[in-house]
Amino acid sequence: EAAVTQSPRSKVAVTGGKVTLSCHQTNNHDYMYWYRQDTGHGLRLIHYSYVADSTEKGDIPDGYKASRPSQENFSLILELASLSQTAVYFCASSDPYEQYFGPGTRLTVL
Amino acid sequence: GDSVTQTEGLVTLTEGLPVMLNCTYQTIYSNPFLFWYVQHLNESPRLLLKSFTDNKRTEHQGFHATLHKSSSSFHLQKSSAQLSDSALYYCASTGGYKVVFGSGTRLLVSP
């Protein structure tokens, strides 16, 4: 019974298209995060949220939007996908210190 | 702002040799939490160790680390590397809800 799930697990998108990545957690955590992982850059924070209906910008928010409609759900939206957004995306929830990661979504933008 | 530095991008070892992965941090918080996360191939990161207490050794799954606030360090060690330790290791710090990750150290253990 995975506590943080992500969908889809992989996606191929076209340049300029809209992409929505979804995350669901059953940890009852208030804090949720979106990271991207690229070789050589480690994990970089895109957006985070500490309460429903509110999101905050992380370190690399440009080109991304986030939505937190409920405590359990947190989405990452790429309005106009670009080649440079090809990466693995991880969602996480926290307690608020320890991070619990989802399985990741591999996004390829062509 | 806060930062975490992992100086080695890649560490290669022979099985049975000791492991030491370096981590130093800068933070505005006087009482930060420090973490080591491990990520095996095609998996997501998971917590390996965490510490909040100065000069106290923390151990888990054969790995250990000691938070030294005087030197802002939290190095990861293991006495004898195993093939299954091959993975990507992230050091991270937080004083609140935002965690700062280092760039990661890939550990490759060979027979």
Side-chain angles (χ1 to χ4, degrees):
Chain A
E1 64 290 302
V4 181
T5 55
Q6 295 182 230
S7 62
R9 292 295 312 278
S10 67
K11 183 171 181 65
V12 178
V14 296
T15 304
K18 182 177 180 178
V19 176
T20 300
L21 306 182
S22 299
C23 178
H24 179 80
Q25 57 107 351
T26 57
N27 292 324
N28 199 33
H29 289 160
D30 288 327
Y31 299 88
M32 296 188 74
Y33 307 79
W34 276 106
Y35 296 93
R36 67 176 280 173
Q37 183 176 44
D38 304 271
T39 303
H41 288 281
L43 291 164
R44 292 185 289 174
L45 180 64
I46 307 170
H47 285 288
Y48 62 98
S49 169
Y50 51 86
V51 67
D53 295 321
S54 178
T55 63
E56 305 292 333
K57 293 181 179 179
D59 299 320
I60 54 163
D62 293 346
Y64 303 94
K65 291 184 180 179
S67 173
R68 182 90 182 271
S70 64
Q71 186 194 42
E72 299 81 15
N73 296 294
F74 192 36
S75 298
L76 185 68
I77 303 136
L78 290 66
E79 295 279 3
L80 295 170
S82 66
L83 295 174
S84 64
Q85 293 177 312
T86 292
V88 177
Y89 292 84
F90 287 102
C91 176
S93 70
S94 75
D95 66 358
Y97 298 110
E98 179 180 342
Q99 305 260 302
Y100 296 81
F101 288 87
T105 295
R106 184 174 297 276
L107 174 65
T108 303
V109 183
L110 302 176
Chain B
D2 287 15
S3 64
V4 174
T5 300
Q6 296 179 246
T7 53
E8 311 104 345
L10 173 66
V11 172
T12 57
L13 286 173
T14 302
E15 189 178 18
L17 291 180
V19 178
M20 181 160 173
L21 306 184
N22 292 314
C23 173
T24 56
Y25 64 92
Q26 287 186 309
T27 182
I28 62 173
Y29 300 101
S30 57
N31 295 301
F33 273 89
L34 269 293
F35 307 87
W36 277 100
Y37 285 84
V38 60
Q39 183 181 18
H40 287 94
L41 191 63
N42 296 323
E43 296 183 3
S44 54
R46 63 172 175 81
L47 183 69
L48 178 61
L49 288 174
K50 65 180 177 184
S51 181
F52 176 75
T53 306
D54 196 14
N55 296 318
K56 181 179 178 182
R57 175 170 161 146
T58 301
E59 299 189 36
H60 187 61
Q61 296 184 335
F63 287 90
H64 63 90
T66 303
L67 175 58
H68 292 296
K69 292 184 179 181
S70 61
S71 57
S72 298
S73 67
F74 191 56
H75 305 318
L76 182 68
Q77 298 181 71
K78 187 178 185 184
S79 59
S80 176
Q82 298 177 294
L83 295 177
S84 58
D85 294 330
S86 293
L88 182 59
Y89 292 81
Y90 288 106
C91 183
S93 77
T94 185
Y97 50 81
K98 185 178 174 183
V99 178
V100 177
F101 286 87
S103 56
T105 297
R106 184 167 298 282
L107 175 64
L108 289 178
V109 182
S110 58

